[in-house]
């Protein structure tokens, strides 16, 4: 039987998130990325652990739902080790950028798997450019490449006008990291992607 790395990641993340949310809030605080605190104490492990805890059930649900729908597509191309490498790299790099940008802000904190899931989504779009993205509140499918452009544009804008308490940097840099890793591992996928996109305009 083939290892379902997507399901395993969802179960592990769900278990850690539920435990810290409802049984051990002190542990939750230790695992959250707090750049000001962590830089003073040398708690660099939070660059990784903050990607496995969530603020509430809805936060966890939407991240894991995204991972469920896109993760298996990436696993089919990269395999379990490639999947985890890309997922963890997206979490670590996006969190590192947030860490560097917010070391002087004593009130800044970040948690959630958004950096990792964004990386998985963008890798999936690269590998399957003909895919369509569906939203609950939008009745029509959005082509994957168009969604990628809109996602990056909105995340960049929102990160510059941060007012909603969401770490849009994690979305933006997680997506770019996932895309970069996917291209590095499967360079021919970029050629196929470009050919598909150009074919749509010719």
């Amino acid at each position: 039987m083939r290892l379902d790395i997507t399901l395993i990641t969802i179960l592990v993340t769900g278990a850690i998130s539920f435990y810290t949310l409802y049984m051990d809030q002190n542990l939750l605080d230790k695992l959250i990325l707090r750049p000001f605190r962590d830089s003073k104490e040398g708690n660099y492990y939070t660059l990784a652990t903050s990607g496995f805890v969530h603020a509430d059930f809805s936060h966890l649900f939407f991240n894991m739902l995204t991972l469920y729908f896109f993760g298996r597509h990436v696993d089919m191309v990269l395999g379990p080790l490639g999947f985890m490498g890309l997922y963890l790299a997206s979490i670590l790099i996006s969190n590192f950028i947030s860490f560097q940008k917010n070391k002087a802000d004593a009130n800044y904190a970040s948690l959630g798997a958004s950096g990792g899931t964004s990386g998985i989504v963008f890798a999936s779009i690269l590998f399957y450019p003909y895919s369509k993205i569906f939203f609950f509140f939008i009745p029509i499918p959005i082509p994957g490449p168009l969604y990628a452009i809109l996602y990056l544009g909105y995340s960049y804008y929102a990160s510059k006008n941060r007012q909603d308490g969401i770490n849009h940097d994690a979305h933006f840099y997680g997506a770019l990291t996932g895309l970069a890793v996917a291209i590095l591992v499967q360079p021919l996928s970029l050629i196929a992607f470009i050919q598909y996109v150009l074919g749509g305009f010719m």
Side-chain angles (χ1 to χ4, degrees), residues 112-157:
S114 297
T117 56
S118 295
I120 291 294
V121 169
F122 270 61
S124 177
I125 292 173
L126 176 71
F127 297 147
Y128 305 94
Y130 47 81
S131 61
K132 308 292 183 181
I133 310 296
F134 292 86
F135 289 97
F136 294 119
F137 50 86
I138 299 178
I140 58 174
I142 302 175
L146 175 59
Y147 170 82
I149 294 172
L150 295 174
Y151 184 91
L152 287 177
Y154 172 75
S155 296
Y156 182 80
Y157 170 81

